[in-house]
Amino acid sequence: MNSFQMVRGRLMAESVAVKSLASRYGTPLYVYSRSHIEGQYAALTRAMAPVKPLICYSVKVNTNAAVIGTLAELGAGADVVSGGELYRARRAGVPPSRIAFAGVGKTREEIEYALRAGLLFFTVESEPELDRIAECARRLGRKARIALRANPDVDPETHHYISTGKKENKFGLDLRRIERAYRRAAAHSSLEIAGLHMHIGSQILNPAPFAHALERVAGLCRRLRARYPTFRYLDIGGGLGIQYKPGQHPLDPARFAKVVLPFMKEWGLSVVLEPGRFLVGNAGILVTRVQYVKNGPSKKFVIVDAGMNDLIRPPLYQAHHEIVPVRATRGKIVGDVVGPICESADFLAQDRQLPSVREGDLLAVLSAGAYGFAMASNYNSRGRPAEVLVHGRRHALIRRRETREDLVRGEQRLPWR
Ligand code: LLP
């Protein structure tokens, strides 16, 4: 399903012309399609229907309240990794009983905030963290539900920065240590053993690594189930990959389900999934305006008004994002699409065949709904872009463009001179 289509030479976001959005809200501009999010959520729910999973949307991927709220309305829970994300999820209407709290570095303050909210569970990544959660729960007179995160040491076949289930990664507990850690958890009266968590990586296109991970924890899950009556949840994280390039095959939910369902049905546990990119990646584009076309001695540069501060994925992960014209043009050029930031890493595409563009033309960077705005910064003192949500013929500003005043908000004058 594609909610961004060329119709008679004009790029449309559902039923709205992208050009009109750029004129109305300015550029650079993130545009999201609500129908695309709904379609992805429905496809995953359908494929996994035999186990009726709880889909905890991974909030880090796109933190806008309208996006989280859309998913909450559809019935999703949330996967959060900080007090800030927990705050956002609750504010957007996600019931605490559907929120899982992950991450290797939870502070005492964050743990207490989460305990007061009363979450689905904490995923726990180390023994000291386990002890800290137990201590915080004891102090507050609460019981903390926990799921230990297993590191199954499998290769998810993705970029090494975003693989998380190999033994050299900082995440989770290796399979030799984890059973001892469960015994340690059982000894804390302020903890309740709720389940097992895994998340092996992101942008995974082949379902086999999920099967390998599940095979590795199969024996463990059976033993834990038998040993702990409260052990009920199997959370296999997110990671489903999407299409960024033409011809690339996304991880279709049916293929994913075929591989993971046999394990889940056999174990009879309540299944939790934490997809992020799959739900919102192709629901978003970044619209940018060409400022200059510069002919360098060895290549052409299309200098646009979006930079690495707006979308860092190309330089950070060598990620490919398709770039299309907002209004179809005839000729083609080859060059780099670069931003205004003072870094040579500031590119959106390199040596790319592009529509022939002129100053003032609009381009759309596709597949920008996941880890786009969420990883944007104010580097070079640039305000972050506005965000708009489209639904059919309707469109609404869901985050205004940052102003120069926003850049200095929070800074204080020195009390001495
Ligand atoms: N659950 C946990 C515990 C995670 O750490 C992540 C992502 C997810 C779920 C969601 O994964 P997804 O379904 O989106 O693959 N910034 C990188 C990706 C980093 C992934 C971090 N963890 C990128 O732009 O490719």
Side-chain angles (χ1 to χ4, degrees), residues 56 58 60-61 79 81 102-103 123 125 149 161-162 164 171 197-199 201-204 237-241 244 274-278 313 316-317 319 370-372 375:
C56 287
S58 191
K60 66 174 79 65
V61 177
D79 150 53
V81 289
T123 72
E125 311 234 8
R149 177 167 178 175
Y161 280 9
I162 55 177
T164 48
F171 299 98
H197 177 234
M198 279 196 294
H199 170 75
S202 195
Q203 184 53 13
I204 301 172
L240 283 84
Y244 282 97
E274 300 172 351
R277 190 190 313 262
F278 174 81
R313 301 195 71 255
L316 188 55
Y317 311 113
Y371 307 105
M375 294 179 81

Side-chain angles (χ1 to χ4, degrees), residues 308-309 341-343 376-383:
M308 65 190 287
N309 72 299
I341 300 274
C342 298
E343 300 245 7
S377 76
N378 292 122
Y379 187 41
N380 277 202
S381 286
R382 289 164 46 81

Side-chain angles (χ1 to χ4, degrees), residues 137-200:
R138 201 164 39 245
R139 202 152 13 114
L140 293 187
R142 311 232 170 181
K143 202 139 184 150
R145 273 182 299 281
I146 54 115
L148 295 190
R149 177 167 178 175
N151 182 326
D153 192 24
V154 295
D155 183 359
E157 302 163 18
T158 186
H159 191 278
H160 64 285
Y161 280 9
I162 55 177
S163 70
T164 48
K166 295 208 273 186
K167 64 174 184 300
E168 60 269 33
N169 300 135
K170 68 178 174 181
F171 299 98
L173 290 154
D174 65 78
L175 298 183
R176 267 182 300 146
R177 256 180 35 214
I178 200 164
E179 282 198 76
R180 233 179 307 137
Y182 271 107
R183 278 197 280 278
R184 189 180 180 123
H188 284 292
S189 59
S190 58
L191 298 181
E192 177 180 307
I193 294 173
L196 179 83
H197 177 234
M198 279 196 294
H199 170 75
I200 58 172

Side-chain angles (χ1 to χ4, degrees), residues 110-384:
E110 288 176 316
I111 294 167
E112 288 176 9
Y113 174 45
L115 281 167
R116 288 200 175 91
L119 304 189
L120 176 65
F121 51 68
F122 291 89
T123 72
V124 181
E125 311 234 8
S126 66
E127 294 86 352
E129 187 197 344
L130 189 69
D131 295 343
R132 182 182 284 187
I133 294 173
E135 172 214 311
C136 291
R138 201 164 39 245
R139 202 152 13 114
L140 293 187
R142 311 232 170 181
K143 202 139 184 150
R145 273 182 299 281
I146 54 115
L148 295 190
R149 177 167 178 175
N151 182 326
D153 192 24
V154 295
D155 183 359
E157 302 163 18
T158 186
H159 191 278
H160 64 285
Y161 280 9
I162 55 177
S163 70
T164 48
K166 295 208 273 186
K167 64 174 184 300
E168 60 269 33
N169 300 135
K170 68 178 174 181
F171 299 98
L173 290 154
D174 65 78
L175 298 183
R176 267 182 300 146
R177 256 180 35 214
I178 200 164
E179 282 198 76
R180 233 179 307 137
Y182 271 107
R183 278 197 280 278
R184 189 180 180 123
H188 284 292
S189 59
S190 58
L191 298 181
E192 177 180 307
I193 294 173
L196 179 83
H197 177 234
M198 279 196 294
H199 170 75
I200 58 172
S202 195
Q203 184 53 13
I204 301 172
L205 293 168
N206 174 2
F210 289 100
H212 296 154
L214 287 165
E215 273 159 21
R216 296 245 162 113
V217 299
L220 173 70
C221 270
R222 285 197 207 94
R223 287 193 295 281
L224 293 172
R225 242 199 113 182
R227 204 173 296 150
Y228 306 110
T230 52
F231 185 89
R232 194 152 82 79
Y233 292 100
L234 172 66
D235 179 346
I236 64 161
L240 283 84
I242 60 165
Q243 183 182 15
Y244 282 97
K245 285 184 201 168
Q248 186 179 38
H249 294 291
L251 179 46
D252 170 53
R255 270 205 304 153
F256 172 75
K258 198 165 162 211
V259 161
V260 299
L261 282 178
F263 293 94
M264 296 172 168
K265 283 190 200 150
E266 188 200 325
W267 302 346
L269 294 165
S270 299
V271 174
V272 179
L273 304 174
E274 300 172 351
R277 190 190 313 262
F278 174 81
L279 297 173
V280 299
N282 276 322
I285 60 173
L286 173 61
V287 185
T288 182
R289 198 177 285 280
V290 175
Q291 299 298 308
Y292 304 100
V293 178
K294 173 174 174 177
N295 292 310
S298 66
K299 51 163 95 172
K300 212 183 248 310
F301 295 101
V302 176
I303 303 172
V304 297
D305 64 2
M308 65 190 287
N309 72 299
D310 303 303
L311 179 67
I312 201 170
R313 301 195 71 255
L316 188 55
Y317 311 113
Q318 296 76 48
H320 177 103
H321 286 260
E322 280 292 292
I323 300 183
V324 301
V326 166
R327 192 185 185 90
T329 54
R330 279 181 191 281
K332 294 259 179 258
I333 55 165
V334 173
D336 288 11
V337 181
V338 301
I341 300 274
C342 298
E343 300 245 7
S344 293
D346 181 27
F347 58 85
L348 295 169
Q350 286 181 309
D351 303 317
R352 183 76 66 82
Q353 194 180 78
L354 298 160
S356 111
V357 283
R358 284 188 312 211
E359 182 178 326
D361 286 350
L362 291 167
L363 292 172
V365 184
L366 305 186
S367 314
Y371 307 105
F373 188 94
M375 294 179 81
S377 76
N378 292 122
Y379 187 41
N380 277 202
S381 286
R382 289 164 46 81
R384 287 177 296 171

